[in-house]
Amino acid sequence: YIVKDNSGNETIQKRTVYVEKQQTGGIIYLTFDDGPSRSITPKILDILKEENVKATFFVIHHDKSLNQYIKRAYEEGHTIALHSYTHNYKKIYASVDAYFEDLNKIREEVYSITGNYANIIRFPGGSSNTVSKFNPKIMTPLAKKVEEKGFIYFDWNISSGDAGGAKTKNDIYNNVVKSLTRGTNIVLMHDKENNYITLNALKDFIQYAKLKEYSFKKITEGTKQIHHPINN
């Protein structure tokens, strides 16, 4: 700043201003459970392709006519991971052997579609589930056993709420955006039939995250795992 009076006396005052770029960003792993579906999965894949974003699909068994969407997702570079064959909690969590019988069925089905044996899994209900409490203490040995067998399980640290609670696309958007951190963000969503609230929020959320300099990645075997506390 320079100031002069009427006599020509001059005073100079310097101020140093430091402009720092706002620290934003982190890594976002978009994950979709319970698909594929005819109404939602192909449209999600269209958005991901348009936005050049890779995601992870934890699939279950459906009608074989839907296998084309698993194949498409795999060929477009997304991770195909395992969720369940039946998604029937009473069957899946009846015993450790029952769980692996179900898991191996969906693993073989995915292999028949992609030619790749998937080792990345997500427990139905997550590792913290309480739906297995009809069989007390099943999750503790099960979580240990899957790792002994070479599987890698992932929970999540952000829930979109689309499996309960969220009623609109704005609910989905806000649930995700308000929970983002600058670290690892594993976002739980579902590409089940007619889940339009997630579909309709997806592009807006991706574009918001890009503006905030987040990067998107698919889960791989080297991804930092997020595990919930086991409740059973």
Side-chain angles (χ1 to χ4, degrees), residues 3 24 40 61 98 110 114 201 210:
V3 178
T24 58
I40 301 299
H61 170 71
V110 167
T114 66
K210 285 182 175 179

Side-chain angles (χ1 to χ4, degrees), residues 54-211:
K54 303 304 180 188
T56 303
F57 293 84
F58 290 90
V59 301
I60 66 176
H61 170 71
H62 288 282
D63 184 277
K64 287 186 177 180
S65 67
L66 302 182
N67 290 352
Q68 60 180 307
Y69 304 125
I70 295 177
K71 183 176 177 63
R72 176 185 165 187
Y74 180 77
E75 290 178 346
E76 291 183 358
H78 304 288
T79 293
I80 304 300
L82 310 175
H83 196 34
S84 169
Y85 189 85
T86 64
H87 213 280
N88 183 319
Y89 299 132
K90 290 291 186 181
K91 289 182 178 180
I92 294 166
Y93 294 126
S95 67
V96 170
D97 287 343
Y99 174 81
F100 282 105
E101 180 181 352
D102 181 275
L103 181 66
N104 287 330
K105 286 179 74 175
I106 190 63
R107 189 171 189 244
E108 289 294 336
E109 183 167 288
V110 167
Y111 175 77
S112 73
I113 299 166
T114 66
N116 180 65
Y117 275 116
N119 294 317
I120 297 170
I121 68 173
R122 175 173 282 161
F123 291 111
S127 67
S128 60
N129 77 78
T130 57
V131 295
S132 62
K133 283 198 170 181
F134 66 89
N135 188 358
K137 305 300 182 184
I138 182 67
M139 290 308 302
T140 299
L142 192 51
K144 181 179 179 181
K145 196 70 173 177
V146 295
E147 292 184 326
E148 288 177 356
K149 287 180 174 288
F151 293 101
I152 305 167
Y153 77 89
F154 285 85
D155 291 309
W156 58 90
N157 53 8
I158 296 179
S159 174
S160 67
D162 65 356
K167 303 299 182 185
T168 68
K169 73 171 188 176
N170 288 336
D171 292 338
I172 300 295
Y173 179 90
N174 290 328
N175 286 343
V176 175
V177 166
K178 291 178 179 179
S179 302
L180 290 173
T181 71
R182 295 173 185 163
T184 299
N185 302 275
I186 297 184
V187 182
L188 172 66
M189 295 175 288
H190 295 78
D191 59 327
K192 59 188 178 181
E193 198 69 47
N194 297 320
N195 186 21
Y196 287 100
I197 57 173
T198 291
L199 174 66
N200 293 337
L202 182 60
K203 190 170 186 177
D204 288 345
F205 162 66
I206 289 174
Q207 291 180 346
Y208 166 86
K210 285 182 175 179
L211 286 173

Side-chain angles (χ1 to χ4, degrees), residues 15-21:
R15 295 284 186 268
T16 301
V17 178
Y18 296 95
V19 179
E20 294 185 357
K21 191 174 184 179

